[in-house]
Amino acid sequence: MKERELKKNNGLDAGLRALHDIFTVTGPQMLDIAEKFYEAMLAGLAGQKGPLKMLPSFLSVPTGKECGVFLSVDFGGTNVRVSLIELRGNGRITVIKKISTPLKEPGRYDYTSSAATGRELFGFLAEQIAGLVRPGENIPLGHTFSFPTEMRSLNQAVLIGWTKEFKTGMTEGRDITLLLREALQRQGLHGIRPVAVINDTVGTLLAAAYGDPHADIGSICGTGHNTCYLEPRPPHHNGPVIINIESGNFDMLPLNDFDRQLDRHSEKPGEQVLEKMVSGRYLGELMRLAVLDLVQKGCLFQKNSGNITGFPFKNNSLGAEHMSLMLGDGSDGLTGTAAWLKEHAGMRDPLPVELSALKTIASLLTTRAARLAAATYAGVLRRLDPFLKLPHTIAVDGSLYEKTPGFASHLRLALDEILRERAGQVTVKPAKDGSGMGAAIAAAIAAASEEML
Ligand code: BGC
């Protein structure tokens, strides 16, 4: 190897080692995070100000006997999903029809930007619903709204504040169900009756608990990150209630300079600190910052740096889906990653070590995300059952968990590391589309309690 290349490789190795050090969450750190998370949960339950809002959902887990046909609207990530769902009892759920539409189409519309209003956004949701039902149909609707909301009843939620860089105007502080109901009226959908509004974590837990009596934690590892659980002794309710922790806002965490940099340039600095380390909305940008640092230090892409066009110099030029592509690139020459670089950075012939460096960095970030999420789950388990005497199921939905190579296995390994000989009591399972199905279950519970009145 020529001397210059050798020197560069040494620089790259040292750079990667430094990244490894700052992005590694050790075993003792996970235990510390679990403990602090548990204490923050207690503080939130007691109504003290702190990072965890601990929002009651007005719902417990389903009996499994809920039946009927319901509409579900699942809103809060990249796409809005509207489904017609039949609940058949004991965990049997059939999705009769489903449509999924992006909330933004570059050059055409963007309902997540500050240029759009809540009225327009909900008008768009109502149009999607109109695409799925026949005129005049009467169907109760469950609505998954995946943002922090203050729940005033099972069917009344007020948006506390946007997360995940959503900026839609005139929506914060508004009654979400009212916005939806008005939009349905404007669309002429008089028979579509919103009866329940829930968080997506709550939907995920409801869907899992419909067929699994041990399910008591629901979590999303997707565009955003959050967890809910079945609180056995809620302070102001009789009997167990599902609490939306809003865990993405947890902030007692070891941050590095890249985390701080990302936070400073986010829509809401200082908020959603855990989410900014764990979720798909931010992981790509975090990786871009780490890669950019190596480029600026002269250890990566030097041969190409003069003519790179987009990545890593352009903000948000790397998404979690691209990280998945790199992580899943099993080809000898990492040809998928090379093709991506050619398309997104205009880079023609990166060195093999440079391609594998990208894979290494993607893996460091997803591993850290999985270990942080696992530590918070351990905090929740401590509240539920400190000695893990009973079996528990953690249901997880979201693109990161479902699609990012390595994320789910690192999550499991981290839980095993934290819970040790009791780890077998805890099952982690995917709840694909759980958040939408959960909305149908919530609607069934609400419709049944309406009938009893
Ligand atoms: C929101 C949560 C939501 C999570 C996953 C976060 O940004 O605050 O309410 O559950 O994203 O969608």
Side-chain angles (χ1 to χ4, degrees):
M1 207 180 283
K2 287 195 209 92
E3 201 182 316
R4 240 192 63 219
E5 235 169 64
L6 194 65
K7 211 164 123 212
K8 191 164 94 196
N9 275 358
N10 286 341
L12 182 53
D13 282 349
L16 290 177
R17 268 199 305 278
L19 289 180
H20 180 272
D21 289 348
I22 61 167
F23 280 111
T24 295
V25 184
T26 63
Q29 279 176 319
M30 287 199 292
L31 293 178
D32 182 54
I33 293 166
E35 178 66 23
K36 288 186 174 136
F37 191 83
Y38 165 73
E39 278 160 15
M41 284 176 69
L42 295 188
L45 281 176
Q48 290 163 19
K49 232 179 143 36
L52 300 182
K53 296 188 182 69
M54 306 297 282
L55 305 165
S57 67
F58 291 88
L59 277 171
S60 183
V61 284
T63 59
K65 297 202 176 81
E66 295 76 6
C67 288
V69 174
F70 302 91
L71 257 178
S72 124
V73 176
D74 187 0
F75 164 81
T78 311
N79 298 302
V80 52
R81 296 186 204 101
V82 183
S83 325
L84 192 64
I85 291 177
E86 183 180 7
L87 304 177
R88 297 187 295 128
N90 298 321
R92 289 169 309 162
I93 302 178
T94 308
V95 178
I96 304 170
K97 282 194 258 183
K98 176 173 161 177
I99 48 175
S100 175
T101 323
L103 288 170
K104 55 178 163 189
E105 276 280 8
R108 285 187 54 215
Y109 63 82
D110 181 356
Y111 290 102
T112 69
S113 88
S114 54
T117 63
R119 187 183 150 95
E120 287 162 353
L121 165 65
F122 280 87
F124 177 69
L125 299 192
E127 274 172 32
Q128 308 313 307
I129 298 170
L132 204 78
V133 299
R134 284 189 295 271
E137 261 186 312
N138 287 308
I139 318 175
L141 176 149
H143 179 192
T144 301
F145 185 78
S146 312
F147 296 91
T149 57
E150 186 199 319
M151 300 294 299
R152 301 197 172 149
S153 70
L154 176 52
N155 199 21
Q156 195 185 17
V158 172
L159 173 61
I160 299 173
W162 287 123
T163 55
K164 298 175 273 205
E165 309 299 299
F166 274 60
K167 307 184 201 51
T168 320
M170 293 166 45
T171 322
E172 290 183 329
R174 298 285 175 98
D175 179 335
I176 292 312
T177 314
L178 198 61
L179 280 170
L180 179 62
R181 202 177 292 130
E182 286 170 356
L184 289 169
Q185 293 302 320
R186 289 200 302 278
Q187 191 70 38
L189 295 171
H190 305 289
I192 305 303
R193 208 160 38 90
V195 291
V197 55
I198 56 170
N199 185 260
D200 52 355
T201 55
V202 177
T204 301
L205 175 52
L206 291 176
Y210 191 54
D212 174 353
H214 303 306
D216 50 8
I217 299 179
S219 187
I220 300 288
C221 296
T223 308
H225 174 62
N226 185 18
T227 299
C228 76
Y229 73 109
L230 184 64
E231 166 57 45
R233 298 174 299 280
H236 306 294
H237 300 262
N238 290 327
V241 161
I242 302 175
I243 302 253
N244 165 16
I245 302 176
E246 282 299 327
S247 64
N249 197 43
F250 186 64
D251 58 2
M252 295 153 169
L253 295 161
L255 302 181
N256 61 41
D257 283 347
F258 299 115
D259 295 314
R260 291 191 198 95
Q261 203 180 328
L262 179 130
D263 181 53
R264 264 200 310 280
H265 294 112
S266 67
E267 188 59 24
K268 296 193 171 163
E271 291 182 26
Q272 299 295 103
V273 175
L274 175 67
E275 181 167 76
K276 287 171 184 159
M277 301 165 92
V278 169
S279 79
R281 176 63 183 79
Y282 299 99
L283 277 181
E285 182 64 358
L286 211 49
M287 169 156 166
R288 182 189 74 82
L289 293 175
V291 171
L292 181 62
D293 188 56
L294 289 182
V295 173
Q296 286 169 341
K297 283 185 173 141
C299 12
L300 194 63
F301 302 148
Q302 288 316 291
K303 192 166 57 140
N304 286 285
S305 64
N307 42 32
I308 296 179
T309 44
F311 173 79
F313 293 106
K314 193 166 156 256
N315 291 356
N316 295 310
S317 48
L318 182 79
E321 67 281 18
H322 306 136
M323 291 171 74
S324 293
L325 177 149
M326 293 170 190
L327 286 166
D329 188 351
S331 64
D332 277 348
L334 297 177
T335 45
T337 310
W340 186 88
L341 273 178
K342 191 166 163 202
E343 188 185 335
H344 292 85
M347 206 181 291
R348 297 215 163 268
D349 47 0
L351 302 171
V353 280
E354 296 180 319
L355 294 172
S356 79
L358 292 184
K359 193 169 183 176
T360 304
I361 301 170
S363 162
L364 283 175
L365 283 164
T366 34
T367 307
R368 182 179 75 155
R371 289 171 77 81
L372 291 175
T376 66
Y377 297 165
V380 182
L381 287 163
R382 164 137 190 231
R383 168 70 184 166
L384 284 172
D385 180 7
F387 302 105
L388 290 180
K389 293 199 172 134
L390 299 168
H392 300 270
T393 300
I394 306 175
V396 190
D397 193 9
S399 48
L400 203 61
Y401 185 79
E402 197 197 326
K403 296 192 186 137
T404 303
F407 182 85
S409 55
H410 279 292
L411 184 64
R412 180 69 248 182
L413 285 173
L415 266 182
D416 291 348
E417 199 177 321
I418 303 171
L419 306 174
R420 297 160 22 138
E421 63 279 6
R422 310 302 289 166
Q425 291 285 61
V426 179
T427 305
V428 184
K429 71 177 184 199
K432 191 166 158 41
D433 293 338
S435 57
M437 292 176 184
I441 298 170
I445 296 173
S449 66
E450 271 178 7
E451 273 166 25
M452 279 163 58
L453 292 178

